Amino acid sequence: MNKEKITNYQIFLLMVLFMLGSAVVVGLEMNSQQDAWLTILTGMVFGSVFFLLYGYIFSKHPGKALTSILEDVFGKIIGKLVSIGYIGYFLYIAARVTRDFTDLIIIELMIKTPNYIIAVAIIIVVIYACSLGIEVIARTGQLAIIFLFGLGGLVIVFALIDQLPDFSRLEPVLEEGWGRVLTNAFPVATTFPFGELIAFTMFFPFFKEYKTKKIIMTGLSAIVVSGLTLALLSALVVAINAPEVMGDLAFPLLDAIKKINIADIIQRLDPIGILFLVIGGFYKISLFVYAANVAFNHVLKLKKNVFMQGFLAIVPLVASFYIAENFIEHLYIGLEVVPYYLHLVFQLYIPLLLIVGSWIRSAFEKKGAKKKAS
C-alpha cells in the first residue's frame, strides 16, 4: 500500500501545471500562424481521447500503476522490459524539458553563464522536491497555481491596457482549411503536452479516492483548463506579434511580454514571464523524474530511496547536454522527431496493445473458468 495520498483537486492542479510546463515556451503551435489557437483546441480534443484510453485501462486494473498493469497483461519479463522503456522515456522527456529551460535562461537572461550551472541548479531543486514526496509536491502546487494564474492574468491585463493585441491578426480563420490545423494538431499538439499525462498513470495509486470515473473527470477537466489557457495565450501572442513573424521567434510568449510599456513605468516584464515559465518547468521535470522513480522502484522491488531519486535525476541532467548541439536542433528534434517516434509509441501504441492484451487475457480466463465449472 502507498502511504502517500493526494486528493483529486491536488492531482488536477498538478496536471494543469504539468501540461502548461514547457508548452508555454515551445508549444504554442506557431506553425499554424493565426490558426494556432484552433490547433491547440483540436489537440486538446485528441488528447482527451488519449486520456479516456488510460482511464479504460485502469478501470480494468483498479488500484494499480502502469508498470504493474504491464506485467499483468504482458507477463513479468516483457512487462518489466516495457516498464524499463517507460523509465527511459520519462527521463528523456525530463532531459528535454531541462534543456528547454536551460536554453531559455541563457538566451534571455544569462548569456555568458555556462549551461551546466543553470541545469545543475534546476536539478538540485528537483531532487529535493522528489525526496519530499508527491504529497509535498502536490501541496506546493496549490500555491504555485494561484501565483502563476494571478501573475499571468496581470500580464494579460497590462497587455490589454497597453492596447498591444490586434485581434484582426487572427483572421482569416482557417485560411488554408482544416488541413494545416489537423496536420499540426496530430500528433504534435496532441502528444505535447496532453498525451504526456501518461506519466500520471504512475500516480493513480496515490489517489485518496481511487474511482475510475473521478480519475477520468479529473484528467479531462485538467486537459480542458490547460488547453483553453494555451489557446488563449497563443491567440494573444499572435495578436501582439503578428502571425507572419511567429516562425522567426525563439520564445514568442516572452517577445510579446517584452513589448508591454505603460507610460514608461510598467515595462521590462520579461523576467516575470521567465519566472512563470521556470516554475511550470520545475513541476514538469519533477513529476517526470518522480514517475520514473516510482516505475524504477516497482521494477526492482525497491522501497523509496532518496539516493536512487538523486541518481535518476542526474540522468536527465547529463542527457540535457547531449540531446542536441544547439537550440535550433533541440526544437527540431522535439517537434519533428520525438512526437512520431517516441510520444506515439509510449502514449498511444503501447496503451492500445494493453487494451487488446487485456481483452485477450480476459477471454482466456473466462474460457478457463467455464472448463473448471464443467
Side-chain angles (χ1 to χ4, degrees):
M1 291 293 290
N2 292 300
K3 293 182 180 180
E4 293 184 298
K5 294 293 178 182
I6 49 181
T7 65
N8 287 13
Y9 177 64
Q10 288 174 327
I11 204 77
F12 164 79
L13 296 181
L14 286 180
M15 284 179 171
V16 171
L17 287 167
F18 179 84
M19 283 184 281
L20 292 180
S22 56
V24 291
V25 181
V26 294
L28 295 178
E29 298 311 316
M30 293 298 112
N31 287 337
S32 297
Q33 296 187 351
Q34 70 267 25
D35 291 328
W37 63 274
L38 190 55
T39 299
I40 291 172
L41 292 179
T42 306
M44 178 186 76
V45 174
F46 290 144
S48 299
V49 175
F50 277 33
F51 195 80
L52 286 172
L53 290 176
Y54 308 154
Y56 178 80
I57 291 170
F58 284 90
S59 71
K60 300 299 181 183
H61 305 269
K64 293 187 176 182
L66 177 63
T67 46
S68 298
I69 298 172
L70 287 169
E71 291 186 23
D72 288 348
V73 176
F74 296 147
K76 282 196 173 183
I77 295 176
I78 296 177
K80 284 185 183 294
L81 289 174
V82 178
S83 295
I84 291 170
Y86 271 102
I87 294 169
Y89 172 67
F90 294 152
L91 293 176
Y92 176 72
I93 303 302
R96 296 203 60 81
V97 180
T98 303
R99 181 62 177 265
D100 285 338
F101 290 94
T102 301
D103 287 349
L104 167 70
I105 293 171
I106 290 175
I107 293 171
E108 295 292 334
L109 282 181
M110 304 174 178
I111 299 175
K112 295 184 180 180
T113 304
N115 61 351
Y116 64 85
I117 291 179
I118 297 168
V120 167
I122 293 172
I123 294 300
I124 286 174
V125 179
V126 168
I127 292 173
Y128 180 67
C130 290
S131 69
L132 296 176
I134 191 70
E135 281 187 8
V136 175
I137 295 173
R139 285 199 295 270
T140 62
Q142 291 177 272
L143 297 175
I145 201 80
I146 296 171
F147 176 75
L148 291 183
F149 273 85
L151 203 62
L154 194 62
V155 170
I156 290 172
V157 169
F158 286 154
L160 294 174
I161 291 174
D162 200 22
Q163 298 182 339
L164 288 177
D166 178 2
F167 292 104
S168 66
R169 290 170 172 168
L170 297 175
E171 298 175 350
V173 177
L174 295 175
E175 181 181 17
E176 297 183 16
W178 279 99
R180 181 172 66 178
V181 171
L182 293 174
T183 300
N184 290 325
F186 190 86
V188 179
T190 301
T191 57
F192 171 65
F194 307 111
E196 290 176 333
L197 285 181
I198 187 70
F200 278 75
T201 57
M202 296 307 307
F203 306 143
F204 286 168
F206 296 121
F207 270 50
K208 280 187 176 178
E209 293 183 74
Y210 196 96
K211 294 181 180 178
T212 304
K213 286 185 178 179
K214 286 193 174 183
I215 290 175
I216 291 174
M217 290 308 299
T218 299
L220 293 180
S221 299
I223 288 171
V224 169
V225 170
S226 302
L228 292 176
T229 301
L230 290 171
L232 172 62
L233 289 175
S234 181
L236 281 171
V237 167
V238 173
I240 292 173
N241 289 328
E244 57 271 12
V245 301
M246 289 295 98
D248 300 326
L249 302 177
F251 307 110
L253 179 61
L254 282 181
D255 283 283
I257 293 174
K258 286 178 184 177
K259 293 183 179 180
I260 296 175
N261 185 353
I262 301 175
D264 290 329
I265 298 174
I266 300 176
Q267 57 179 323
R268 297 181 180 178
L269 299 180
D270 43 305
I272 294 178
I274 292 173
L275 179 63
F276 181 96
L277 303 177
V278 169
I279 291 174
F282 156 74
Y283 279 96
K284 190 160 191 175
I285 298 167
S286 297
L287 291 168
F288 266 127
V289 170
Y290 201 85
N293 182 65
V294 174
F296 189 84
N297 288 344
H298 178 265
V299 170
L300 296 184
K301 306 299 180 186
L302 300 175
K303 293 183 179 180
K304 183 178 176 181
N305 188 307
V306 174
F307 295 104
M308 187 55 64
Q309 288 173 339
F311 170 75
L312 289 176
I314 290 173
V315 174
L317 167 66
V318 175
S320 68
F321 304 138
Y322 299 102
I323 54 178
E325 291 188 7
N326 52 60
F327 187 64
I328 301 300
E329 184 182 18
H330 172 64
L331 285 182
Y332 173 80
I333 294 172
L335 299 176
E336 301 293 336
V337 178
V338 172
Y340 297 90
Y341 300 104
L342 271 183
H343 283 333
L344 283 179
V345 172
F346 289 99
Q347 295 176 16
L348 181 61
Y349 300 154
I350 293 176
L352 285 175
L353 285 175
L354 269 178
I355 292 173
V356 174
S358 295
W359 288 343
I360 295 172
R361 198 174 189 88
S362 178
F364 276 110
E365 287 175 354
K366 287 179 180 178
K367 284 184 178 181
K370 286 181 180 179
K371 286 182 179 180
K372 286 183 180 179
S374 61

